[in-house]
Amino acid sequence: MENEIKKTVFSGVQPSGNLTIGNYLGAIKNFPRFSEEYNTFFCVVDLHAITVRQVPAELRRRTYETLALYMAAGLDATKNTLFVQSHVPAHAELGWILDCYTMFGELSRMTQFKDKSAKNAENINAGLFTYPALMAADILLYKTDLVPVGVDQKQHLELARDVAMRFNQVYGETFTVPEPFISEDTMKIMSLAEPTAKMSKSDPNQNAVVYILDTKDDIMRKFKRAVTDSDCTVRYSPDKAGVSNLMTVYRAFTGKSFEEIEREFDGRGYGDFKAAVGEACADGLAPVRAEFDRLIADKAYLETVMREGAERAAYHARKTMSKVRRKIGFVN
Ligand code: ATP
Ligand code: LTN
């Protein structure tokens, strides 16, 4: 199963809120396709989540839920290393080391930092600032070749590449320089209320966001209310952000092309179209939800998965860390 010839995939999701169809279509749904041909690591990044204040009991619950959602979306725990970031202390350790090879100016340019600082003006902590160096550590610990993420993470990936190359230049070949894998068709799902902004799990407007675990009624209602425009034709176009976003969701759940969708709804109103998007989304998520309900009821099993995942991850992380320590000049 695991061997040296296979390339490595790593990705992470924060247990910082209820996961959205943006997280699902942009990231998690794409993960299982790598299971067979790659060594895969999928991590619940709880260290990242505390860059924004979390309620302890909720953080713990969401950590289980995120792991269960990984599996409900099709990740088999025997074929993928599924684990929780804080269970492998090497992440924090390499994170610190990479802080010392990441420039203040680089971190200042990160748009996620700027966005999150604006949203959390009362808590602009140092962790929020150095977040991308910890993310680079996650990736570089496992000699990762490919990182499947939504397009919002592209800038962080570029930073991880720069840090890896910088370190390699100083100390000789140490880290694999990773590539992003961004699925073109679902790279950015937009808010239903404000279709020019990313759909985000931390959006305070619940109607703007469809959660993976929403009921069918909620899903239908949210799509029904989604912001569109006054022109009433289902057509994909940059000046029709709301409709185009709904078409993107519909395409992702049905496999139909934009041309097919335009033909299907030719001469029909937005009412029909929105109901169809809601149906397709609810139907697509139903099996994920059913499997999630089954998994979340078995905490002991989830804990076994976490423990075994952390052991496997730690084994690989240890190898990288001993190399890094030696190169830097730490006494063994
Ligand atoms: P937050 O709202 O707390 O900033 P988030 O919803 O952006 O969180 P993350 O845990 O930061 O979620 O992201 C997990 C993965 O989901 C990342 O790969 C990210 O690129 C992807 N992702 C998040 N939102 C979207 C979206 N709207 N469209 C496509 N991909 C997304
Ligand atoms: N920064 C990511 C979550 C994340 C991640 C990673 C993604 C943390 N570490 C490593 C890919 C690889 C986010 O905010 N979506």
Side-chain angles (χ1 to χ4, degrees), residues 192-203:
L192 298 188
E194 208 184 317
T196 49
K198 187 186 92 158
M199 183 182 285
S200 163
K201 60 167 118 82
S202 52
D203 192 325

Side-chain angles (χ1 to χ4, degrees), residues 168-190:
N168 288 349
Q169 202 145 42
V170 178
Y171 299 105
E173 218 42 41
T174 310
F175 295 126
T176 302
V177 180
E179 298 279 349
F181 174 91
I182 297 169
S183 182
E184 287 281 326
D185 45 348
T186 51
M187 58 189 183
K188 200 168 183 189
I189 303 299
M190 308 310 256

Side-chain angles (χ1 to χ4, degrees), residues 81-96:
T81 299
L82 309 180
F83 71 108
V84 176
Q85 190 184 28
S86 66
H87 292 177
V88 182
H91 288 254
E93 188 181 0
L94 185 60
W96 169 257

Side-chain angles (χ1 to χ4, degrees), residues 16-18 20 52 116 119 199-205 209 211:
S16 56
N18 295 325
T20 72
V52 171
K116 296 223 165 174
K119 283 188 195 151
M199 183 182 285
S200 163
K201 60 167 118 82
S202 52
D203 192 325
N205 178 3
V209 181
Y211 300 103

Side-chain angles (χ1 to χ4, degrees), residues 108-155:
S108 309
R109 285 193 290 276
M110 295 293 121
T111 57
Q112 182 174 303
F113 172 68
K114 292 185 217 167
D115 290 349
K116 296 223 165 174
S117 308
K119 283 188 195 151
N120 299 282
E122 74 302 337
N123 183 24
I124 306 177
N125 60 72
L128 196 62
F129 188 64
T130 61
Y131 179 117
L134 178 61
M135 176 163 163
D138 298 341
I139 296 166
L140 301 181
L141 267 179
Y142 301 98
K143 303 187 167 65
T144 302
D145 297 284
L146 213 55
V147 185
V149 280
V151 77
D152 61 300
Q153 294 303 309
K154 195 165 178 236
Q155 195 184 30

